[in-house]
Amino acid sequence: MKALIIVDVQNDFMPDGSLAVPDGDAIVPVINRISGKFDLVVATQDWHPPEHKSFASNHKGRQPFETIDLNGISQTLWPDHCVQGTPGADFHPGLDTRPVEAIFRKGINPEIDSYSGFYDNQHLKSTGLAGYLREKDVTEVYGCGLAGDICVYDTLNDALKCGFPTILIADAARALDEKNYETAQKDLLKNNGRIVFSTDIV
Ligand code: VGL
Ligand code: ZN
């Protein structure tokens, strides 16, 4: 059983969104072309309340992209993004969501950020995604989406930690920061992850 996790393909991460990932919309046709080839497709959705503490706007005198300590861990402050129920939190309108069987929402607790689709950033609370994939007898987890260096990376890292053979689809992801993405890809490879291109998926 091959599963595809589509990570955060949401309007606010698109080039005209509030937390724009360069070239982020280029992955949409790539994902649409391959999603039908998987036995199971799930998606994650960044889904923050307006008072989420990852937003710089919720910290007096702070600017986006500064780093603070949030409840004991380092937190990058972001522009407001993916606020629950707003158009920015919707999936890109061109994304074919028909094959998506389940959507795992994350980042709901205002006190803690959640980059991975599996756990929050302190690994305190699970979304249930690992149990869902296990119950579906998934034997391989493929990942794509936005942002490659943040939520895709953390999701695939957790998939590896959960024991799933894990594969990044390189041309179906884009990063906020290219340098961080290079480091992230090296780290996935070091942890026995693999990297393929969408054309390798048959
Ligand atoms: C993301 C920063 C903040 C992502 C989500 O989807 O990569 N990045 N929230
Ligand atoms: Zn977020």
Side-chain angles (χ1 to χ4, degrees), residues 27-39:
I27 68 173
V28 173
V30 180
I31 297 171
N32 289 345
R33 193 163 352 104
I34 59 174
S35 55
K37 304 191 184 212
F38 290 85
D39 304 305

Side-chain angles (χ1 to χ4, degrees), residues 47-62:
W47 194 251
H48 299 306
E51 69 275 18
H52 200 268
K53 296 240 176 99
S54 75
F55 295 171
S57 64
N58 289 322
H59 301 270
K60 225 182 145 93
R62 295 287 181 179

Side-chain angles (χ1 to χ4, degrees), residues 12 17-19 48 50-52 54-58 64 77-83:
D12 273 341
S18 65
L19 181 42
H48 299 306
E51 69 275 18
H52 200 268
S54 75
F55 295 171
S57 64
N58 289 322
L77 295 176
W78 304 110
D80 291 17
H81 64 279
C82 298
V83 174

Side-chain angles (χ1 to χ4, degrees), residues 88-196:
D90 288 344
F91 292 118
H92 183 289
L95 181 70
D96 184 359
T97 55
R98 288 174 299 178
V100 178
E101 289 195 31
I103 297 165
F104 289 81
R105 287 177 165 166
K106 61 189 182 64
I108 294 168
N109 179 346
E111 294 298 326
I112 188 162
D113 215 350
S114 226
Y115 294 158
S116 158
F118 289 89
Y119 295 95
D120 62 71
N121 287 3
Q122 297 213 44
H123 268 236
L124 297 175
K125 206 171 151 217
S126 152
T127 60
L129 176 54
Y132 181 87
L133 297 176
R134 286 194 193 109
E135 185 172 331
K136 297 280 187 187
D137 293 325
V138 167
T139 52
E140 280 183 310
V141 169
Y142 287 75
C144 64
L146 304 171
D149 50 334
I150 305 175
C151 289
V152 177
Y153 166 60
D154 275 24
T155 298
L156 294 186
N157 214 18
D158 275 348
L160 286 165
K161 283 188 193 160
C162 290
F164 294 105
T166 299
I167 304 105
L168 168 69
I169 308 168
D171 53 327
R174 288 292 187 281
L176 261 180
D177 180 288
E178 281 305 323
K179 268 248 135 33
N180 292 344
Y181 192 36
E182 273 171 40
T183 312
Q185 291 183 68
K186 281 189 195 140
D187 195 51
L188 289 175
L189 291 171
K190 195 184 73 200
N191 294 327
N192 290 318
R194 289 166 47 209
I195 300 177
V196 300

